[in-house]
Amino acid sequence: MGYIALNQSSMVLTAKHIKKDFAGINVLRDVSLSARSGDVIALLGQSGSGKSTLLRCLNFLTMPDAGEIALEGNAISIETRKDGHLKRGSKQAIQELRTHAVMVFQQFNLWPHLTVLENVMEAPLYVLKRPKDEVRQEAQALLEQVGLSDKHHQYPSMLSGGQQQRAAIARALAMKPKVILFDEPTSALDPEMVGEVLQVMKELAKLGMTMIIATHEMGFAKEVATQVIFLDKGEIVEQGDPQTVFNTPKSQRFAQFIGAVID
Amino acid sequence: MLHGFLPLLLAGTWVTIKLAVAALILGLLLGITGASMKLSNSRIARSIARVLTSVVRGVPELLVLFLVYFGGTIVLSKLFGKYIAVSSFIAGVSALALIFGAYATETFRGAYLAIPTGQFQAAAAYGFYGLKRLRRIILPQVWRHALPGLGNLWFVLLKDTALVSLIGLTDLMRATQNATAFTKQPFTFFGACALIYLLLTSLSMIGQKYISKRVSRHIRVEG
């Protein structure tokens, strides 16, 4: 029993039996995953396999139809009122969760009216309500970490896609999150900019950041992930450490998928 | 100069400016409120906003002014059981603000809908919601989309202030008419009056350009 307790204490984010329908189509059918501290989970799958939806269910940007999400072992309780809207307590629980499980988007979604530095400082200042001097120092250090120390006062529209995504990663880190959810972070980038973003993510993995990443980057998954999850038609059909799943895939569908990608 | 009527015209101009600026501030608040109601989840709020904007936009502006001025007196008198006159300045500001607000509601609504959904998702994902989301993330982006439309509405408002001369307020228009009646020199005074309105609108254009530069400073200029 002692071992189990220890394991649970290192559990950062767990999802159990997540289901989601969109207009009668089962986008997710009973999907579970768990991320321990320091885990890098690569969610693989074709477009439409449900990997982005799963990621968005983890912080309730998409509301799952059934299932349970837990942060460090504490389940987020979701209750709806008669009219279908969330109860006040549930809203607060979700908002609290989102400050610990932050998201990096495919389209970056930086706030265009704020400079790069202001983008990084915005949520720590106005959501976490932390002191300004401290937040500014941390934001500057984070921008240095992602290689943007010369871009503090530029607006997002003046940056390349790769720079914007690195700024978005700094914005995520500024929340001091327990886990970062990456929603296809390199899919909107020109090929020559993919590397610089993956490099930043690799460094985060080395520092022990817990990350869940929906991605098409096989090489990155092989090299950096501690766990690979392959989704097909809303189900997990392959799961395990990268060596095992890439070298000896158990399912026909995953074998086909990596074959198709390698070709 | 102008047969000694210049101070009168300038006093009228001052009234016109006060009216327009007060109606602008109140009208912007009404417009933001109206747009929030039209975009809200509550069906009651949406219906109220729809009816009010339809009525105000559907009747002549002069009628809105008369309804507020004369109707306001009747309603207030009934409400408090004694005769209460609505001051013509307050009636003028209220009527002009109502008209401005009704049109601005649509401008703000359109500007809000022009914001990409990714912005709302990013706001949600980082813990912004409710008024904080509106003030910190959404409104700053709304201004940029709304500004051209609001600029137009301001020009209309500035000139609509001339309507208040009909409820006894001595604005620029009324002052000009007084001067004309006394001197029998309509061309001189209506010409001077037109020049003053043109001066006000020209200054407004410069102001609009400045504000528009400020709210779009984050937009990259190509080439």
Side-chain angles (χ1 to χ4, degrees):
Chain A
M1 287 307 282
Y3 283 110
I4 294 167
L6 192 70
N7 284 342
Q8 277 180 346
S9 72
S10 68
M11 208 62 91
V12 177
L13 193 69
T14 53
K16 286 184 199 155
H17 309 299
I18 301 298
K19 289 180 188 151
K20 181 68 191 176
D21 286 5
F22 280 123
I25 297 163
N26 303 124
V27 181
L28 293 174
R29 348 170 167 220
D30 198 359
V31 175
S32 302
L33 66 78
S34 41
R36 283 161 215 274
S37 182
D39 261 354
V40 177
I41 300 182
L43 296 176
L44 304 179
Q46 280 163 345
S47 304
S49 59
K51 58 186 190 302
S52 271
T53 306
L54 174 59
L55 202 72
R56 283 157 181 272
C57 282
L58 295 178
N59 71 349
F60 295 96
L61 274 189
T62 296
M63 188 60 61
D65 295 334
E68 185 188 274
I69 311 283
L71 183 74
E72 295 185 326
N74 301 313
I76 314 298
S77 81
I78 299 296
E79 290 178 299
T80 47
R81 296 188 314 221
K82 274 184 202 149
D83 61 2
H85 290 292
L86 287 173
K87 282 191 179 166
R88 194 180 239 300
S90 303
K91 269 190 199 166
Q92 282 168 347
I94 289 175
Q95 278 147 10
E96 169 81 15
L97 167 75
R98 285 172 179 166
T99 63
H100 299 299
V102 298
M103 183 166 266
V104 172
F105 297 89
Q106 182 177 358
Q107 303 289 346
F108 333 128
N109 297 347
L110 291 168
W111 294 306
H113 58 291
L114 300 176
T115 64
V116 169
L117 185 65
E118 287 166 345
N119 261 282
V120 177
M121 294 171 63
E122 185 75 1
L125 275 184
Y126 296 100
V127 176
L128 304 179
K129 301 206 161 67
R130 297 181 42 219
K132 192 164 189 174
D133 290 339
E134 205 180 296
V135 169
R136 180 182 289 117
Q137 277 180 8
E138 285 178 12
Q140 285 165 344
L142 287 171
L143 285 175
E144 171 139 24
Q145 187 183 336
V146 299
L148 292 175
S149 24
D150 54 336
K151 305 286 182 195
H152 287 185
H153 302 298
Q154 305 239 18
Y155 288 97
S157 64
M158 294 152 190
L159 267 50
S160 73
Q163 291 169 332
Q164 288 191 52
Q165 193 60 299
R166 285 186 278 143
I169 292 173
R171 172 173 75 171
L173 290 169
M175 298 297 278
K176 299 186 179 171
K178 299 196 159 92
V179 53
I180 306 183
L181 312 171
F182 290 86
D183 186 8
E184 302 199 24
T186 56
S187 299
L189 295 176
D190 291 337
E192 69 268 25
M193 290 167 184
V194 171
E196 64 190 53
V197 172
L198 293 181
Q199 188 55 40
V200 168
M201 292 166 64
K202 264 180 218 170
E203 280 157 24
L204 289 182
K206 266 188 215 146
L207 294 171
M209 176 58 74
T210 313
M211 307 195 273
I212 304 177
I213 308 164
T215 185
H216 291 288
E217 297 291 333
M218 293 299 139
F220 179 79
K222 262 186 216 172
E223 188 186 342
V224 183
T226 56
Q227 200 187 136
V228 170
I229 292 179
F230 174 67
L231 283 162
D232 189 41
K233 297 186 181 123
E235 284 174 320
I236 295 180
V237 294
E238 190 88 35
Q239 186 171 14
D241 68 89
Q243 260 75 35
T244 316
V245 296
F246 279 108
N247 295 332
T248 53
K250 286 199 227 53
S251 70
Q252 185 67 32
R253 280 183 277 178
F254 186 57
Q256 271 174 0
F257 179 70
I258 48 181
V261 169
I262 290 162
D263 294 342
Chain B
M1 199 166 136
L2 290 173
H3 309 278
F5 276 97
L6 184 63
L8 189 73
L9 289 196
L10 289 181
T13 307
W14 181 232
V15 172
T16 293
I17 293 172
K18 276 195 293 188
L19 260 175
V21 171
L24 173 71
I25 293 167
L26 193 58
L28 285 173
L29 289 175
L30 285 175
I32 292 173
T33 311
S36 308
M37 288 169 76
K38 278 206 169 175
L39 292 160
S40 92
N41 288 324
S42 149
R43 197 149 42 146
I44 301 167
R46 285 203 304 268
S47 306
I48 293 173
R50 194 168 53 233
V51 170
L52 278 179
T53 52
S54 304
V55 169
V56 174
R57 291 190 300 165
V59 303
E61 275 130 33
L62 190 56
L63 192 55
V64 175
L65 180 65
F66 284 165
L67 280 173
V68 170
Y69 184 53
F70 297 111
T73 300
I74 293 167
V75 169
L76 284 181
S77 303
K78 280 256 162 67
L79 225 56
F80 291 95
K82 57 177 183 190
Y83 180 76
I84 298 175
V86 176
S87 99
S88 46
F89 185 80
I90 288 178
V93 168
S94 310
L96 292 170
L98 267 177
I99 295 161
F100 185 93
Y103 287 97
T105 293
E106 285 309 311
T107 308
F108 279 120
R109 198 178 76 95
Y112 179 94
L113 293 176
I115 297 175
T117 48
Q119 289 297 311
F120 293 92
Q121 287 184 353
Y126 283 84
F128 288 92
Y129 56 94
L131 272 182
K132 200 188 282 174
R133 183 184 74 166
L134 185 71
R135 216 172 64 79
R136 301 288 324 169
I137 310 288
I138 304 304
L139 267 188
Q141 300 187 56
V142 161
W143 285 121
R144 183 173 71 84
H145 293 296
L147 204 70
L150 294 176
N152 267 336
L153 293 180
W154 162 253
F155 286 112
V156 174
L157 165 65
L158 195 59
K159 294 180 294 173
D160 275 355
T161 53
L163 293 172
V164 300
S165 58
L166 294 168
I167 56 169
L169 213 59
T170 310
D171 70 325
L172 175 57
M173 195 69 213
R174 177 66 165 261
T176 307
Q177 282 169 335
N178 290 347
T180 311
F182 191 82
T183 59
K184 309 282 183 245
Q185 292 187 340
F187 186 75
T188 315
F189 283 96
F190 286 130
C193 174
L195 280 179
I196 295 176
Y197 274 115
L198 273 174
L199 181 71
L200 292 181
T201 47
S202 307
L203 287 176
S204 304
M205 269 184 236
I206 295 169
Q208 190 188 359
K209 218 171 190 175
Y210 172 76
I211 297 172
S212 135
K213 232 180 207 162
R214 256 199 79 77
V215 295
S216 339
R217 65 191 183 280
H218 56 282
I219 304 304
R220 175 158 58 175
V221 183
E222 300 290 341

